Amino acid sequence: ITCARTLPCETSGAALTETIGIGKGTVTIDDFDECDLIIIIGQNPGTNHPRMLSTLEKAKQRGAKIISVNPLREAGLLGFVNPNPQDNFFSFPFKILTNSATQLSDFHLPIRINGDLAFLQGLSKILLENESAIDRKFIEKTTCGFEAFAESLEKVSWDDITEQCGLSFAQISEAAKIIKNSRKIITCWAMGLTQHKDSVATIQEIVNLHLLLGQIGKPGAGLCPVRGHSNVQGDRTVGIWEKPKPEFLQALEREFNFT
């Protein structure tokens, strides 16, 4: 599946609907209070979602780790000084001058543009080789297609993975190690993923990773497509889009007496 003719805000919905049955994220803001690892891939929060930085700062202060995957090593993830309401006229400048910023990203991966699919396959490939890393009970109880998924990864060579994503085996292995040692994981993404030709398949690979680890459907773990404006998701929630389902149109007709 590709999204060459799909709007960026729709690719997450298309990918998630086909995999988990609903085109929305599976976490709320409260889940960030419980997770111990946040993977930020294809998203620059400091530039595009600055209100998210205080949530990431709280998670870091609790001891959570953050992996950032982006060609750009964004300044906002390297150091964040929060101008909170408790600051007086002098305290906020003092924070800046004394370099008391919170370092958000623990491990940055400078991925090649549109190399995310290969990177995610590499992660899953490493984790599959470590039986203790995957949640076999969750896979057997709640998923389907695991064997085909595992077989498809066996056919992907490491030469292809590293060439396409621009990362070394050692870098991908280090990320896999952090993931393996985490209990509750949230993965966030934005237009750095959704605007590429392979975006639907890439987002579905994120879902595969979470299903492999059982990191979905529990507090503090799951999928977080970061939308820019609430009206995007709000419109979808009430059925406003260019491809409404027949059932929705029929319900509208019954309720409001127009076709």
Side-chain angles (χ1 to χ4, degrees), residues 195-238:
Q195 290 187 321
H196 289 295
K197 182 179 179 181
D198 303 318
S199 59
V200 172
T202 300
I203 294 164
Q204 289 177 337
E205 208 65 49
I206 292 176
V207 178
N208 288 338
L209 178 65
H210 276 256
L211 295 176
L212 189 67
L213 303 170
Q215 292 288 346
I216 188 170
K218 65 181 183 181
L223 308 166
C224 182
V226 183
R227 270 67 182 253
H229 300 280
S230 59
N231 65 311
V232 174
Q233 183 152 330
D235 283 354
R236 293 297 186 270
T237 300
V238 298

Side-chain angles (χ1 to χ4, degrees), residues 56-71:
L56 298 178
E57 181 187 44
K58 278 178 60 182
K60 282 295 299 179
Q61 290 171 345
R62 280 193 305 100
K65 284 186 166 58
I66 294 177
I67 296 175
S68 56
V69 185
N70 206 300

Side-chain angles (χ1 to χ4, degrees), residues 41-67:
I41 179 168
Q43 181 203 5
N44 290 329
T47 304
N48 299 311
H49 307 101
R51 289 184 63 188
M52 186 177 182
L53 291 175
S54 56
T55 299
L56 298 178
E57 181 187 44
K58 278 178 60 182
K60 282 295 299 179
Q61 290 171 345
R62 280 193 305 100
K65 284 186 166 58
I66 294 177
I67 296 175

Side-chain angles (χ1 to χ4, degrees), residues 7 20 23-24 27 66 82 86-87 95 112 115 128 141 149 169-170 185-186 191 196 204 237 253 258:
L7 294 174
I20 61 172
K24 299 178 176 64
V27 297
I66 294 177
N82 186 5
Q86 284 73 42
D87 285 333
K95 283 182 181 179
R112 178 173 291 166
L128 267 172
K141 182 180 179 181
F149 170 69
F169 176 77
I185 303 169
I186 293 174
M191 288 192 180
H196 289 295
Q204 289 177 337
T237 300
E253 185 172 353
F258 69 84

Side-chain angles (χ1 to χ4, degrees), residues 81-84 87-97 100:
V81 180
N82 186 5
N84 62 62
D87 285 333
N88 59 38
F89 181 78
F90 298 102
S91 60
F92 181 58
F94 180 78
K95 283 182 181 179
I96 297 175
L97 292 172
S100 59

Side-chain angles (χ1 to χ4, degrees), residues 83-249:
N84 62 62
Q86 284 73 42
D87 285 333
N88 59 38
F89 181 78
F90 298 102
S91 60
F92 181 58
F94 180 78
K95 283 182 181 179
I96 297 175
L97 292 172
T98 57
N99 195 27
S100 59
T102 301
Q103 180 180 328
L104 297 180
S105 179
D106 295 278
F107 187 51
H108 176 74
L109 291 163
I111 198 164
R112 178 173 291 166
I113 291 175
N114 202 25
D116 310 273
L117 179 59
F119 164 66
L120 291 162
Q121 288 179 331
L123 280 180
S124 294
K125 198 173 174 74
I126 291 172
L127 293 165
L128 267 172
E129 293 172 359
N130 190 329
E131 184 65 27
S132 65
I134 66 175
D135 191 335
R136 182 71 65 171
K137 187 181 295 185
F138 178 88
I139 292 168
E140 292 174 355
K141 182 180 179 181
T142 62
T143 72
C144 60
F146 170 75
E147 297 301 332
F149 170 69
E151 288 174 13
S152 70
L153 285 181
E154 287 180 10
K155 298 174 184 176
V156 181
S157 73
W158 274 108
D159 286 343
D160 287 341
I161 289 172
T162 54
E163 179 185 355
Q164 290 171 25
C165 73
L167 301 170
S168 67
F169 176 77
Q171 287 174 306
I172 301 172
S173 296
E174 181 62 26
K177 181 180 177 182
I178 296 171
I179 290 169
K180 176 183 177 295
N181 293 329
S182 302
R183 297 178 301 104
K184 296 182 177 182
I185 303 169
I186 293 174
T187 299
C188 306
W189 69 89
M191 288 192 180
L193 291 194
T194 62
Q195 290 187 321
H196 289 295
K197 182 179 179 181
D198 303 318
S199 59
V200 172
T202 300
I203 294 164
Q204 289 177 337
E205 208 65 49
I206 292 176
V207 178
N208 288 338
L209 178 65
H210 276 256
L211 295 176
L212 189 67
L213 303 170
Q215 292 288 346
I216 188 170
K218 65 181 183 181
L223 308 166
C224 182
V226 183
R227 270 67 182 253
H229 300 280
S230 59
N231 65 311
V232 174
Q233 183 152 330
D235 283 354
R236 293 297 186 270
T237 300
V238 298
I240 300 172
W241 68 322
E242 80 281 6
K243 293 178 287 188
K245 294 182 178 179
E247 295 83 2
F248 176 75
L249 292 177

